[in-house]
Amino acid sequence: VKGKGEKGGKGEKGSKGGKGGRIVGGAGGAWESLVQTVKALQRTGEKELWNTYADSYLGGVRDPARHSVPELQQFITDNNVEALIASSGMTVGGGGGGGGGGS
């Protein structure tokens, strides 16, 4: 598991957030996409990669929906997650998930 560049480590976060995760500002679409990318990784059998990262750098909070866009992006970038998913033959966004409205 590759570490985070600029952040220290465990316990750096103050709050685990409440219901609905930690969506910041208007980043809902980007946030949802990143959450689905981490979940897709977990479905490839690489769940331990995320679990180790969350335990080491995100205060042990393993639910990707409880992390911000920068935190999720850092994990995905540092660990080449999109390549891992592609090499498994899976795609992001497959399976489950609730729909969102739209106009």
Side-chain angles (χ1 to χ4, degrees), residues 42-75:
Q42 292 172 326
R43 289 190 296 272
T44 69
E46 294 286 347
K47 190 172 189 171
E48 197 55 40
L49 179 63
W50 168 255
N51 289 348
T52 300
Y53 187 87
D55 290 348
S56 297
Y57 300 105
L58 302 175
V61 179
R62 293 181 174 185
D63 181 357
R66 299 191 77 175
H67 296 288
S68 67
V69 168
E71 292 165 331
L72 295 169
Q73 188 63 58
Q74 187 76 47
F75 169 75

Side-chain angles (χ1 to χ4, degrees), residues 8-102:
K10 211 170 185 178
E12 197 164 285
K13 229 179 242 351
S15 166
K16 291 184 179 180
K19 265 188 177 179
R22 300 187 54 187
I23 299 176
V24 180
W31 172 83
E32 180 65 29
S33 175
L34 295 170
V35 168
Q36 290 305 315
T37 299
V38 173
K39 289 183 176 187
L41 173 74
Q42 292 172 326
R43 289 190 296 272
T44 69
E46 294 286 347
K47 190 172 189 171
E48 197 55 40
L49 179 63
W50 168 255
N51 289 348
T52 300
Y53 187 87
D55 290 348
S56 297
Y57 300 105
L58 302 175
V61 179
R62 293 181 174 185
D63 181 357
R66 299 191 77 175
H67 296 288
S68 67
V69 168
E71 292 165 331
L72 295 169
Q73 188 63 58
Q74 187 76 47
F75 169 75
I76 290 165
T77 301
D78 286 353
N79 293 285
N80 206 12
V81 168
E82 290 168 343
L84 290 171
I85 293 169
S87 70
S88 75
M90 293 195 68
T91 59
V92 174

